[in-house]
Amino acid sequence: MLGWLAAAAAPILIHLWMRHTHRDTRWAAMEFLREAIKRNARRLKLQQWLLLAVRTLLLLLLAFAAAKPYLSGWNLLTGGPKIHRVLVLDGSMSMQYKSGDQSLFDRAKQYAVKVIESGNSVDLISVCLLAGPPQTIVAGPIADARRASAQIASLEPTYGRGNLSETLAVVKELIDDSADEASVHEVVFFTELAAHSWHAAIDQPATIAQIEDLANLAKLTVVDVGAIGPENVSVGSLRLAGSLPTTAGPVRLECEVANHGPSRVYDVVVQLVNSGVAIDEQSISLPAGGTTTVAFDVQLAESGWQTIAVRTPSDNLAADDVAWLTLDVKPRVRVLLVEGAPGAAKYLQHALNPGGQTSPIEATVIPEGALVETPLDDFDVVFLCNVARITQGERDYLHRYVVNGGNLVLFLGDRILPEVYNDVLAQQQQNLATPPAAAMGIGRGQRSTNLLYSDRAPAMRLVKQADAPADALLPAEVGELRSSEEFGLDPLDYRHPIAAAFRGSERAGLLSTPVSRYYELKPSDAATVALALPSGDPFLVTAPCGDGMVAVIASSASLDTIDPATVQPWTMLPAWPSFLPIVRELVVFGLEQNRDANRAEPGMVISGALPPTWAKASVDLLRPDGRVDSVPVVRGDGIVEWSYTSTDLPGAYTVLSTASNEPLSVATVNVPGTESGLTRVATDSLPDSFQVQTTTGDLQRTLANVGATTDLHRWLLYAVLALLLIESVMAWAFAGRAA
């Protein structure tokens, strides 16, 4: 563009050419005029030079105005700096909301591309996605506007959450890395300002401090692409409600359907789907902002892994119109009862299996000496009933079972040795059954779903990686033996899921359960008290242990445990009406923890442990989109493991058997429920560091308020117009005086 500066020489060349294109011819009349002109020559020459200067300056200014993109980058005339612009697109699931025929994310991409196109060709561009975790799309920074625009055009929103704090940290890194390449930085956020992502900018001091630090380095602009008055119906929290996943009887499935819009919705059809086939449906109405629980009772006819879904009609946010759940359906739930004395588990066996072959629970009784010879992976829950002592080998065997997703329940009694329990079961050992996620480099606290293999399909179960690789098998230290003269158990406001089953059933006997002899329990920090005694002492304590669950009951499971002083049973619980629901809820609670771990969110890591005899170098995993990925197997220190990170879509992820291509296990990924709420933060509540622009008006007006480019070209054009007027007036005035 600066080549047009040569045009400024045109008036000078024309002036010089005109001076040499005439021939002198003398005649009398002209001699008189010549003498008159000589008298005014100085004035005329000054006028000509002034006109020449104005016309030349006019062309120079026009060329400079046309070259505006280059002037700012070259720091000419104005000293305009090179700008590094970081474009942050909100990629959280709620940005999939459609407003008209365009999603909010598509609108954000449109504005981001326009911002790039309106900038200078030498401006530097970085692009990142506000997600959880954030994704750097163009680290650069690059000055290639076409390439940056192409990268933005290819982006798709995620199905996960948005993490503002982590995104701000990534943006700061991008600015720090480009400090030597640009002196001016600008960060532009394209977002709907959803409260679930942006509340941190208002009420979290750490995030507010991040924003203030970033504002010292860059200009911060928010382009609000959100919809006005969004409406959305979502379905979530699909769960098995107090039932066991067996073919022995009907199971109850529950889910939450919510209306996030400002008006009531009518006749919403909620369908229950099993393996892709709709098997039941209900029609409901929801008030504005209302939520209701929808329940389905269904008979599962076949055993094996089954994928259940509940869906509603597609709306403006289709991603949250379906919820997923996988069930490892069995003919019966298998429970192992280990007796420390003959008959110690007979009441427990009857409570778990009152209906014989028609019961959903199959209870197997063994003496304590047969524990290490019994394959624990064949059982869903193991009960220890008044077992006197646990050897280190038995402890390791039980520990390996529990951290791999098993459930252990300890009933105490007159035979147990508290010091042995505290020394052996309460110890924490980190080197047993190290979770695959840890070996794969997944840090503590990261969300990770651990998939465990068993030679006997479909006993393979999917469980969630805990923060700690291994925990104690005893959720509470066993203290002194105590007596009580008061009857009854305290449900502690029914907060624990085991106690919650008794809510509204006060006549079930829980509140009048007699317990006269028990051990004092001192819960660990990770434990939760489910039931307590009238004295306030804990009676039933649960805690997570690796990928499983452990529980301890302060008294006995048998009426044969006698107090010598009174010649009465320690407790009448085994004969009380509350006994059967308590032990049943213990089983349900343990299995529910495993099912909770089966449900992941997009971005969580699925990992698994395989037996040492696994021969293949990979496992096959079927994704929700139908693609089968071959996941590499890692071997080391006698452990065979795999890890899968591409859980980017909601739905079922199936690990296939190498022999029959049948499911060995299925994990479901569900969208986070918080993303369904489309409540927005008020723009005036954001920190003052943000300049907020809305997209409800004209596109060009919005873009004019975004960016830090110099506006010198506008002033140059104004000057050109002024000079055109001045030149015309001067030419007219000089011509008039000459006449």
Side-chain angles (χ1 to χ4, degrees), residues 547-558:
D547 293 319
M549 184 275 298
V550 291
V552 60
I553 293 90
S555 196
S556 174
S558 172

Side-chain angles (χ1 to χ4, degrees), residues 164-486:
L164 179 62
S165 179
E166 292 183 3
T167 302
L168 292 173
V170 169
V171 170
K172 186 176 186 303
E173 290 180 5
L174 293 173
I175 292 176
D176 291 341
D177 292 343
S178 64
D180 296 335
E181 302 180 59
S183 57
V184 174
H185 305 273
E186 180 179 7
V187 183
V188 185
F189 296 86
F190 301 90
T191 177
E192 58 171 335
L193 288 173
H196 49 71
S197 294
W198 283 87
H199 72 91
I202 301 172
D203 55 22
Q204 292 188 9
T207 304
I208 296 174
Q210 282 182 289
I211 295 171
E212 293 175 351
D213 292 342
L214 198 59
N216 294 328
L217 303 175
K219 174 185 176 182
L220 305 182
T221 303
V222 171
V223 178
D224 179 8
V225 299
I228 299 176
E231 297 181 350
N232 180 42
V233 174
S234 68
V235 57
S237 301
L238 179 58
R239 59 195 179 274
L240 195 61
S243 302
L244 296 172
T246 70
T247 58
V251 299
R252 167 157 288 204
L253 297 165
E254 293 182 351
C255 67
E256 306 297 328
V257 181
N259 176 17
H260 304 278
S263 57
R264 186 180 184 88
V265 293
Y266 298 91
D267 301 326
V268 178
V269 178
V270 185
Q271 285 188 329
L272 177 67
V273 180
N274 188 0
S275 301
V277 179
I279 59 175
D280 197 2
E281 70 177 37
Q282 299 181 29
S283 181
I284 63 172
S285 297
L286 291 167
T291 300
T292 188
T293 299
V294 179
F296 295 94
D297 293 311
V298 59
Q299 176 70 50
L300 302 174
E302 298 181 359
S303 60
W305 284 96
Q306 297 186 28
T307 301
I308 310 294
V310 172
R311 65 191 181 194
T312 55
S314 181
D315 56 17
N316 291 333
L317 185 57
D320 62 3
D321 294 336
V322 59
W324 305 86
L325 175 67
T326 54
L327 297 175
D328 184 8
V329 181
K330 303 176 181 180
R332 304 171 76 187
V333 172
R334 300 195 66 193
V335 174
L336 180 65
L337 308 179
V338 183
E339 290 185 321
K346 63 182 180 182
Y347 294 95
L348 190 57
Q349 182 183 22
H350 180 72
L352 291 170
N353 187 12
Q357 294 298 320
T358 63
S359 172
I361 300 177
E362 176 186 349
T364 301
V365 181
I366 63 171
E368 61 178 307
L371 176 61
V372 295
E373 301 172 359
T374 305
L376 299 184
D377 287 339
D378 292 346
F379 298 93
D380 299 285
V381 185
V382 174
F383 284 83
L384 300 187
C385 303
N386 202 11
V387 174
R389 64 173 69 236
I390 305 294
T391 66
Q392 188 64 46
E394 291 171 334
R395 186 266 179 203
D396 294 348
Y397 189 50
L398 287 168
H399 189 273
R400 197 170 281 111
Y401 161 74
V402 174
V403 298
N404 286 345
N407 301 285
L408 176 65
V409 180
L410 306 169
F411 271 96
L412 305 183
D414 57 355
R415 287 176 48 82
I416 76 148
L417 301 175
E419 63 277 8
V420 175
Y421 271 57
N422 294 333
D423 291 343
V424 178
L425 294 181
Q427 63 178 271
Q428 297 199 18
Q429 188 167 340
Q430 301 290 329
N431 60 353
L432 293 175
T434 302
M440 293 294 178
I442 301 170
R444 285 172 59 100
Q446 284 188 266
R447 295 175 297 170
S448 170
T449 303
N450 184 29
L451 191 60
L452 297 161
Y453 177 85
S454 170
D455 288 314
R456 190 178 62 86
M460 184 177 180
R461 59 172 74 86
L462 186 76
V463 291
K464 188 175 182 181
Q465 166 68 25
D467 285 347
D471 297 288
L473 282 178
L474 194 62
E477 178 184 342
V478 181
E480 63 181 11
L481 191 60
R482 291 186 171 182
S483 298
S484 174
E485 296 181 357
E486 297 182 75

Side-chain angles (χ1 to χ4, degrees), residues 566-577:
T566 62
V567 197
Q568 295 295 323
W570 277 25
T571 175
M572 294 300 295
L573 175 63
W576 217 252

Side-chain angles (χ1 to χ4, degrees), residues 15 17 40 90 449 500 538 585:
H15 174 76
W17 181 76
N40 298 311
D90 190 340
T449 303
E585 290 303 321

Side-chain angles (χ1 to χ4, degrees), residues 652-676:
Y653 291 77
T654 305
V655 177
L656 302 174
S657 167
T658 55
S660 61
N661 213 35
E662 292 296 321
L664 284 177
S665 186
V666 186
T668 50
V669 173
N670 283 289
V671 299
T674 55
E675 289 290 319
S676 298

